[in-house]
Every structure is written in C-alpha cells, then in structure tokens.
Amino acid sequence: MGFRVPLLIRGGRIITPTEDYTADIYAEAEKISRIEPRIDDKLVAPGADIIDARGKYVFPGFIDPHVHIYLPFMGTYAADDYESASKAALAGGTTTLIEMICPGPADDPITAFETWKSKAEGLAAVDYTFHMSVVRFEEHIRAQFREIVKAGIASFKVFLAYKGALNLSDEHLFAAMQLAKDLGVIVTAHCENADAIDAMQKSLLAAGKTGPEWHGRSRPPVVEADGVHHLCTFAELVGTHVYIVHTSCAPAVQAALAARHRGVNVWIESVIPHFVLDETYTERASFEGSKFVMSPPLRAKANQDVLWNGIKTRQISTIATDHAPFRFADQKKMGTDAFTKIPNGIPSVQERVDLVHTCGVAAGRLGLQAMVDACSTQAAQLFGLYPRKGAIQLGSDADLVVYDPTYRGKFSQEGSHSKVDYSAYEGWEQKGRASVVTVRGKVQARDGEFVGTLGRGAFLKREPTH
Ligand code: URP
Ligand code: ZN
Ligand code: ZN
C-alpha cells in the first residue's frame, strides 16, 4: 500500500514549462488531487502534512536523466550507492533518477539489468529507472533486450567512445538501432570517435604529455562532432530516435541540429559541468586538475553561451549531470602517471538544480520556465514518464519541490551527501535552495537535509514512446 498521509502545499508560485501562477496543491495517496487558488480547511484531512510555500516556487520534482551510481569503470567503481546518491539528489531537489546500466563486455544484458536493479531496491529514496547500455549485440542476445524492454526499460544507451571497454562496433550499433526502431525505444548515445581518441592519447603520452590538462587535447570538439554526425547518420538510415548525451560544445550541438534539420529525430542533452566549468580547471596545480576530468572534456568558455542559449531556445532539451563520482585521494590519483588512467567523471547530482538557478536564472540567462522544462519535464516526456512525472497536474505523482529563491549559501563538499572527497564547485556562491522535497506525497528532504525513508524509491516501469 502507498503512502497515505495527505499533503497540502499552501500558496506557492507554481512553475511549469507553460505556467506560472499561485495556488494550493493537495495530494492524497501519493497523487496530486486538487490544485485550487485556496483549498478550504474543511477539505484538509486531520493529520495532513501542511507546508507554507508563500514567497517560494513550487516545481515538479526534478529528473536527472543521466547518472551513474553503480559503475564499474576504468579499473574502479564509482563512489556512491543508492543511499548517498538519493540523499544528494533529494537535497538538490531531484526526485527521479535515470541511471545508466553499463555492463562489462562479457556480461549478459539480463544479468546486468538484474544487478543494477538490485543495487537500488530497498535502498533508493528517489524513484528510479534505467537506460540499458548495449555494449555488444550478437544475434543470440537480441531476445534479452526485448525482455528488458518488456520489463519496463524504454531506452538504450550506446557508447561511441571508450575503445576496448564500453565502445560498440558499427556493425553492432546498426543492429541495435534497428531493434530499437522496431521496439519504439529511444537510443541515448555518448558520441565521441573512439579510434581517434585512442590514437591521440597514445601520441600525447608518447610525447610525455601525461597530466590531466592533456585529457581535453586528446578529444577536441571535432571528435565529438564527428561522433554526433556518425550516430545521426545511422539514425537517418534506420529511422531510430536518438538522444545525444552530454553534448559539450558548439560543433557537436551544430552537428545534431544539422541532422535535425535533415529530418532526423534527434534530441540534445547537455550536463551541468559543461555550462559552468571550462577547460582551465584541468590545468590546476598539484594534480587538482584531475577532479575536472570527464568525457567529453570541459571546453573553452565560449561554448557555455552556446549551451545556455540552446536551453533558452529549447534546441537543447535537457540539463542532466552525468553524475560519476570518483574520490580525489585514491581514485583520481590512479592517473598520476597518465591522464588516460584518471577515472572520468564529475559528481553534480546534488548541485545541478541550484547551479542552474544560480548561474542561469539568478544570473539573468534563463527563465524559470526553461529551467523547469530542461531539468524536469523534457526528461519525463522523452523517456516515457510524463505526466506521471515532470508535471503539476491532477493525477500526477506528488513529486514537488518547494524552492526558496532567496536562500544564500555556498556550495561545498561538506554540505554534499555524495561519498566523494571534493566538490567541483567548492566555495561558489549558491543562490536558491529546495526548502521541501516530496516524493509521491511524502517529505523526503528539507533545507538540504535528508529527512525521508530509504527504500521508498520505486522502480518506474516505462512504455516505449518512440
Ligand atoms: O566522464 C564521464 N562522462 N564519465 C562517466 C561515463 C560517461 O561517459 O558517461
Ligand atoms: Zn558518456
Ligand atoms: Zn554518463
């Protein structure tokens, strides 16, 4: 049986991609049941949880469509589990996570699916679902992917990068995209040319260029644009719908838009590190630059305007995180001799929404409507969760974020629930914070603290919508 205590949110300014108005919201049995200018006290059940949202925004729960929690990768494992990642997500207003299942080359897809699900079950405090990575695609495992889609996974993931690891051959990519098309499943894709990167990494290392500042030189913008073009060519040939993850720079955005203008059904995701951090961070002394190594790499600052404008014009659909947490002290340091051994990733699941508010809305770069669209509604629509998630409507899950835009504080590792030993945004001014975060009607976080129940998070079964 679901959560039964009713919830009343009084007098908040409700923000959706198309609306901005003040009203009360009432939720019963986990769903929104009334939205009215003033809900009569007589209609409020005794014992209801009442939240005063006057002077605050009320957003639909934010959705992060690209996170890594359980991640065997580059000789280690990402540092979070569903307890720390849920707490971090909720503290930052995120109520639904879509995690990438990233099996090893020899793993069976079904086994991987069960493994990833088992990491979340009983521990997650947010609702969750997965993108299923296809790291190989022989005929005999085709049935397993069909079974996984039947079990509620409506999106695949492919890697054009990471030669010798997650990278999928063109032959298998084409076959996987055909199956996705048949099933109506969208294919999410990491687009960088793996062979070009491999060759450039080797020549940089041979020239003694081993530090984290060389990571970006081994995978410049053209390598990413090439990957985007390549994926979109396959999408054009097969008719599959595709979603480019962590699009970081102008040439890659342009390659995706060019394909869209040719009629390809392509959507663009960018991730928060690329909006606010630039390549100079990887040049920091004492190997601190390794904290900022991710792929695609941080780019020249000029690309940030392209990303913000892409969100404003809605040419870029989503702002995710690509949360991939690795500790500095022992994990990032695995790459002291060679940047190619630094585990790739920057943790941001807690900071994403506040960074978008601080550096986007409060900085005058973005409106609230574009913010909620990019951080919640678009992901719900693209990945088969709408209007259960990503909406403030009668019947939607009561995943709600009461957000205080007047809060002032600082981003810091100390305030983070993620199990990493650094924050990429240490000491930055924070403008705005989630005061109250509910998941299906139950308060799970207040003022940056987890106050909820672990294990309450539900697996979200999704139907193919493409
Ligand atoms: O640097 C990154 N992005 N690490 C996580 C793996 C991936 O490529 O998404
Ligand atoms: Zn990636
Ligand atoms: Zn990723």
Side-chain angles (χ1 to χ4, degrees):
M1 194 162 90
F3 184 69
R4 291 278 145 194
V5 178
L7 170 77
L8 174 65
I9 297 183
R10 277 245 191 256
R13 187 173 152 196
I14 296 171
I15 311 285
T16 73
T18 51
E19 294 161 310
D20 181 344
Y21 63 102
T22 298
D24 292 354
I25 300 174
Y26 195 61
E28 296 159 288
E30 305 195 345
K31 306 271 184 201
I32 296 173
S33 57
R34 287 175 181 272
I35 307 171
E36 293 164 19
R38 167 84 203 176
I39 294 172
D40 197 313
D41 287 333
K42 289 198 288 267
L43 296 170
V44 179
D49 204 347
I50 300 174
I51 290 154
D52 181 359
R54 284 172 301 170
K56 296 183 175 142
Y57 305 138
V58 184
F59 294 115
F62 292 103
I63 300 169
D64 191 337
H66 183 169
V67 297
H68 302 273
I69 299 170
Y70 174 64
L71 178 64
F73 186 53
M74 297 187 73
T76 185
Y77 290 84
D80 277 327
D81 56 21
Y82 261 89
E83 175 173 349
S84 56
S86 293
K87 288 179 176 175
L90 287 163
T94 294
T95 54
T96 297
L97 296 176
I98 311 185
E99 189 191 2
M100 302 290 175
I101 296 175
C102 296
D107 298 346
D108 260 352
I110 288 282
T111 311
F113 176 47
E114 293 303 335
T115 302
W116 259 260
K117 254 198 332 176
S118 74
K119 303 285 176 189
E121 277 159 1
L123 199 55
V126 291
D127 286 352
Y128 57 91
T129 176
F130 303 95
H131 302 296
M132 182 68 217
S133 292
V134 183
V135 296
R136 66 182 218 279
F137 193 82
E138 295 97 355
E139 207 43 47
H140 71 277
I141 56 172
R142 170 181 287 262
Q144 294 195 19
F145 287 110
R146 286 185 181 276
E147 212 176 301
I148 289 165
V149 172
K150 239 193 225 154
I153 298 301
S155 44
F156 290 162
K157 170 78 185 284
V158 295
F159 289 89
L160 275 59
Y162 304 127
K163 189 176 165 77
L166 296 162
N167 181 225
L168 188 63
S169 72
D170 270 358
E171 186 190 344
H172 288 198
L173 174 63
F174 204 91
M177 288 180 75
Q178 282 176 318
L179 179 67
K181 160 84 176 150
D182 287 352
L183 296 175
V185 159
I186 189 168
V187 173
T188 73
H190 177 140
C191 295
E192 290 180 296
N193 183 312
D195 286 309
I197 293 166
D198 186 58
M200 293 204 291
Q201 285 177 335
K202 284 181 177 139
S203 68
L204 285 163
L205 292 181
K209 295 171 174 171
T210 59
E213 70 277 20
W214 297 102
H215 171 73
R217 313 286 178 92
S218 71
R219 43 212 315 153
V222 67
V223 165
E224 187 182 345
D226 181 61
V228 172
H229 178 70
H230 189 71
L231 182 89
C232 289
T233 302
F234 278 31
E236 189 170 353
L237 293 169
V238 180
T240 320
H241 291 196
V242 291
Y243 173 93
I244 317 290
V245 301
H246 48 41
T247 313
S248 70
C249 57
V253 171
Q254 281 153 11
L257 292 178
R260 186 180 288 167
H261 295 149
R262 296 198 303 275
V264 177
N265 287 291
V266 53
W267 287 268
I268 305 171
E269 169 196 279
S270 295
V271 297
I272 194 63
H274 290 127
F275 287 81
V276 297
L277 299 166
D278 64 69
E279 60 192 1
T280 60
Y281 284 82
T282 61
E283 294 162 10
R284 294 195 162 181
S286 312
F287 203 59
E288 293 272 326
S290 65
K291 295 176 177 174
F292 302 93
V293 166
M294 67 174 291
S295 295
L298 298 179
R299 300 297 192 189
K301 204 169 175 55
N303 291 286
Q304 294 175 0
D305 286 339
V306 176
L307 301 186
W308 286 113
N309 283 347
I311 294 295
K312 200 155 68 181
T313 58
R314 317 230 176 160
Q315 289 179 314
I316 298 176
S317 298
T318 55
I319 304 177
T321 57
D322 195 8
H323 180 76
F326 296 100
R327 291 178 302 275
F328 177 60
D330 55 330
Q331 296 183 297
K332 291 284 185 180
K333 291 240 170 98
M334 289 162 55
T336 315
D337 301 339
F339 67 84
T340 50
K341 294 188 201 148
I342 300 169
N344 289 194
I346 300 179
S348 308
V349 75
Q350 183 163 333
E351 296 89 350
R352 173 185 64 140
V353 170
D354 295 324
L355 284 166
V356 173
H357 188 263
T358 302
C359 306
V361 176
R365 290 181 121 152
L366 205 64
L368 287 164
Q369 250 118 29
M371 171 179 164
V372 68
D373 201 28
C375 296
S376 178
T377 308
Q378 281 292 321
Q381 289 178 340
L382 281 167
F383 297 118
L385 294 168
Y386 191 84
R388 178 173 178 190
K389 306 292 188 189
I392 299 184
Q393 290 178 14
L394 300 185
S396 294
D397 280 357
D399 295 355
L400 296 161
V401 177
V402 178
Y403 196 86
D404 179 5
T406 66
Y407 170 83
R408 294 293 176 268
K410 295 240 187 272
F411 292 100
S412 70
Q413 187 264 326
E414 211 191 326
S416 163
H417 295 272
S418 184
K419 287 206 245 178
V420 275
D421 54 357
Y422 75 98
S423 165
Y425 316 102
E426 189 67 43
W428 290 22
E429 190 183 10
Q430 179 179 338
K431 296 183 176 173
R433 182 173 73 172
S435 300
V436 177
V437 182
T438 70
V439 177
R440 285 176 282 108
K442 183 177 186 305
V443 175
Q444 292 282 80
R446 278 184 196 271
D447 300 328
E449 293 305 324
F450 178 69
V451 298
T453 309
L454 289 172
R456 211 178 155 259
F459 170 63
L460 300 168
K461 240 178 146 222
R462 300 181 287 130
E463 293 293 327
T465 53
H466 291 269

